[in-house]
Amino acid sequence: MSSDSTSSESDCIDITAEFLQAAKNIPNGQVVKSDLFSLLEGTRGLEILNLKLDTTLIKLSKEEENFNTELPLNLDYTLSICDKLLRHVFLWLNNSTLTSTVLSCRYMENLLVNYSKNVLFGINVCNFFDPADDEINIIIEKQQNISQIARKLKDYNFQLKNRENRENSESELMKEMNENQNLVLVHKILRSFFLGICHFILFSLTLSHTGLLLEEEDINTQSMDLTFLDYVDLKLILKEISSSIDWLENEFNYEMSSEIDKIENVELK
């Protein structure tokens, strides 16, 4: 083909016959590879038009296309997302691709896109806010607001428990608590769960690159050029998870002290 990208089809040269003739001389079991591309790129070509691998073939509804990961969710919905993501992790480990499992989740996509675009800001940009927003300060400010709301809810619970006239106090505080609680469930609790999953996937990918789990050219390790928090300190992720457990214990009066102890006692190397 002509080097001019705007050239018409008349500028193209048909090499079909020559190609087929040359292919006849290639012994079975031999691979011909140009220096212009890697074997990995050839492997990626297997995904094209493959119903199980090519995610571009998935038809999204208008509702799916416009799905907003910033909206608040109740506890049941939040837990269902955690459950579904964990199932996808096991599907990936059972020889499915990242693109058709973990990376098919919009929450995961937004979190990783935000991080990959702003790696230097570390865990501060690992969130579900719209990655189309190029103002990094806005993304960080939104996450800080969630932390403030979470602390405020904790204070509200303390006030409710310690007021003499609880019925009257509930009428003053419950409305704002209910509005903010579901927001924190997404941007604090769900977020910390995703951070933990990302680190586990990063650990698994690290093993695969050493040849312990998967072959080097395996398409299952391809992550669409997104990084799974490579430069985020594990201590920061554990801190986020521990904080989420503490908030859940306080908010829903559920004893989770043993789980917190397990996280705090993780040996970091």
Side-chain angles (χ1 to χ4, degrees):
M1 180 181 291
S2 170
S3 59
D4 185 1
S5 59
T6 61
S7 60
S8 63
E9 291 186 6
S10 61
D11 296 321
C12 299
I13 301 175
D14 187 354
I15 61 169
T16 304
E18 290 81 356
F19 176 81
L20 294 176
Q21 182 60 40
K24 293 180 180 179
N25 299 322
I26 301 176
N28 290 334
Q30 296 294 314
V31 176
V32 177
K33 185 185 81 66
S34 169
D35 293 334
L36 299 178
F37 65 91
S38 66
L39 288 175
L40 182 57
E41 290 171 316
T43 305
R44 285 177 173 172
L46 297 176
E47 300 181 17
I48 300 175
L49 299 182
N50 187 317
L51 294 177
K52 294 183 178 180
L53 301 176
D54 192 346
T55 55
T56 63
L57 298 178
I58 300 175
K59 301 299 182 182
L60 300 179
S61 64
K62 286 292 184 181
E63 182 180 0
E64 290 171 330
E65 290 180 356
N66 299 323
F67 184 75
N68 189 347
T69 57
E70 298 187 25
L71 297 179
L73 300 173
N74 61 35
L75 181 61
D76 289 340
Y77 207 113
T78 302
L79 291 175
S80 69
I81 294 176
C82 294
D83 177 73
K84 189 67 175 291
L85 181 65
L86 198 56
R87 290 169 184 262
H88 278 178
V89 171
F90 284 108
L91 285 173
W92 170 58
L93 293 174
N94 198 34
N95 208 30
S96 292
T97 65
L98 279 172
T99 52
S100 61
T101 54
V102 176
L103 292 179
S104 67
C105 175
R106 185 72 61 82
Y107 288 95
M108 179 65 78
E109 178 187 347
N110 281 8
L111 186 147
L112 293 182
V113 169
N114 278 331
Y115 173 73
S116 298
K117 288 171 58 178
N118 308 281
V119 174
L120 294 179
F121 290 89
I123 201 169
N124 294 320
V125 292
C126 297
N127 49 52
F128 305 133
F129 299 116
D130 188 358
D133 192 346
D134 292 329
E135 292 292 334
I136 185 62
N137 291 332
I138 294 178
I139 294 177
I140 294 177
E141 183 179 352
K142 286 181 178 180
Q143 192 60 51
Q144 291 174 341
N145 289 338
I146 295 297
S147 298
Q148 293 175 1
I149 291 173
R151 288 193 294 269
K152 183 183 293 185
L153 284 171
K154 190 173 183 179
D155 292 339
Y156 284 172
N157 270 326
F158 179 80
Q159 294 176 42
L160 287 174
K161 292 176 182 178
N162 290 277
R163 288 192 180 189
E164 293 182 0
N165 191 341
R166 178 161 181 159
E167 292 183 359
N168 292 336
S169 63
E170 285 183 356
S171 63
E172 299 171 6
L173 299 175
M174 287 303 293
K175 183 178 180 180
E176 185 173 358
M177 285 181 64
N178 290 334
E179 292 175 352
N180 291 332
Q181 187 184 75
N182 291 348
L183 195 63
V184 175
L185 282 172
V186 173
H187 297 288
K188 180 177 178 66
I189 307 306
L190 188 63
R191 172 178 176 264
S192 64
F193 179 82
F194 272 67
L195 292 175
I197 291 294
C198 283
H199 185 78
F200 173 77
I201 293 175
L202 175 63
F203 173 75
S204 300
L205 289 174
T206 302
L207 290 181
S208 74
H209 293 158
T210 64
L212 295 179
L213 292 180
L214 302 171
E215 295 180 4
E216 184 178 356
E217 301 291 348
D218 200 315
I219 57 177
N220 294 347
T221 65
Q222 301 314 305
S223 58
M224 299 172 61
D225 296 324
L226 296 173
T227 59
F228 284 91
L229 317 187
D230 301 43
Y231 301 105
V232 174
D233 193 335
L234 175 58
K235 292 181 180 179
L236 296 177
I237 295 178
L238 292 176
K239 182 179 179 181
E240 291 286 342
I241 296 175
S242 180
S243 175
S244 293
I245 292 176
D246 180 60
W247 187 86
L248 284 171
E249 184 179 38
N250 176 79
E251 195 69 17
F252 296 97
N253 298 317
Y254 179 69
E255 292 297 331
M256 304 177 69
S257 56
S258 59
E259 283 79 0
I260 295 177
D261 291 339
K262 291 177 183 178
I263 291 178
E264 292 179 344
N265 291 329
V266 170
E267 183 178 357
L268 303 177
K269 297 183 179 180

